Amino acid sequence: MTNSVPWQERLSTGTEAVQDDVIGWYQATRAGRAYVPTMIWGTLQTEAYATVILGQVVSFLGVPDDVPSGVAKRMERQQVLYDGEHHYDVILGEQALYTNVGGPEVMQAQVVRLLRDIDLPSVTLGILPATAQVDMFPVHAFNIYGQADRAHVELVSSALDITEQSELDLYQKAFDLLREGAAYGDAAKDLLRKARSFWTSAPHQTGG
């Protein structure tokens, strides 16, 4: 079964309520997997990065502007990284380290955050190199909650929640193939340090 809810309907009262729902999802599921090819996974975002992202969502969709409240909730959800009860297997595309969200200062701080948190016991963080050969055609971002109980996909106009087992099996298969091509440990840290150096030396002006 696939359930689709338009973003403009889901965000009709602003971003805070949706972020509150996400907190509930994370608290209720002890484990999760995420593949995010072009931006930073929400639970590892800095406050500044999240502020830019949610601001863009509000502007694009024309929904009520409660960005500070939405960001506060996104920061609250990150407590699952430190409670000792959750674990997340996350793959970021190398492009996520270079997609300009908020300009060099925001990006440099975001990459530093990833370098700090990559050794958290609650996170297995892989970086999929841009040149990695993967036995999987390019796919969109997705999250898998629990023991493959539900997959969540965010599109431009709506969000999809997938619970049909045959579809969930395909998402798990895709994640496993992407994981085979990802860099972990010191290799992932090298990619993060390379991105940190890029943003440290970039002109400090907000990206357009």
Side-chain angles (χ1 to χ4, degrees), residues 5-204:
V5 181
W7 281 120
Q8 288 176 318
E9 176 183 328
R10 195 170 181 191
L11 295 168
S12 60
T13 62
T15 64
E16 182 177 8
V18 170
Q19 293 300 312
D20 223 9
D21 289 344
V22 176
I23 290 173
W25 296 345
Y26 277 81
Q27 290 175 340
T29 53
R30 302 286 176 163
R33 280 144 286 177
Y35 168 61
V36 194
T38 59
M39 64 180 289
I40 305 303
W41 182 54
T43 312
L44 287 173
Q45 290 176 6
T46 64
E47 184 174 350
Y49 188 103
T51 297
V52 175
I53 290 293
L54 291 187
Q56 291 173 341
V57 169
V58 165
S59 176
F60 179 74
L61 295 173
V63 297
D65 186 352
D66 67 342
V67 169
S69 298
V71 170
K73 286 293 183 180
R74 179 161 289 189
M75 296 302 103
E76 181 182 338
R77 125 186 175 197
Q78 297 183 4
Q79 292 306 308
V80 295
L81 298 176
Y82 309 106
D83 63 11
E85 298 178 352
H86 295 79
H87 186 270
Y88 303 98
D89 194 342
V90 181
I91 301 170
L92 299 180
E94 187 177 5
Q95 176 58 44
L97 309 180
Y98 294 94
T99 301
N100 191 340
V101 174
E105 291 186 13
V106 172
M107 291 304 301
Q108 196 253 9
Q110 178 62 72
V111 175
V112 168
R113 161 78 188 272
L114 296 176
L115 276 166
R116 184 193 76 196
D117 286 356
I118 193 171
D119 291 322
L120 284 174
S122 60
V123 179
T124 299
L125 179 60
I127 308 294
L128 186 66
T131 57
Q133 183 173 349
V134 181
D135 292 330
M136 179 70 210
F137 51 84
V139 295
H140 52 72
F142 59 88
N143 287 267
I144 303 172
Y145 292 97
Q147 299 302 315
D149 301 315
R150 178 169 66 93
H152 181 74
V153 179
E154 297 186 352
L155 306 177
V156 170
S157 60
S158 61
L160 304 179
D161 286 307
I162 298 163
T163 56
E164 175 63 42
Q165 190 59 56
S166 61
E167 294 187 61
L168 292 172
D169 290 344
L170 288 175
Y171 277 94
Q172 182 58 56
K173 181 178 180 180
F175 188 86
D176 291 342
L177 289 170
L178 291 162
R179 203 178 195 284
E180 289 178 6
Y184 290 88
D186 289 342
K189 290 178 183 178
D190 286 343
L191 291 170
L192 289 168
R193 293 187 187 105
K194 178 183 174 184
R196 180 183 61 186
S197 296
F198 174 84
W199 290 114
T200 300
S201 60
H204 280 228

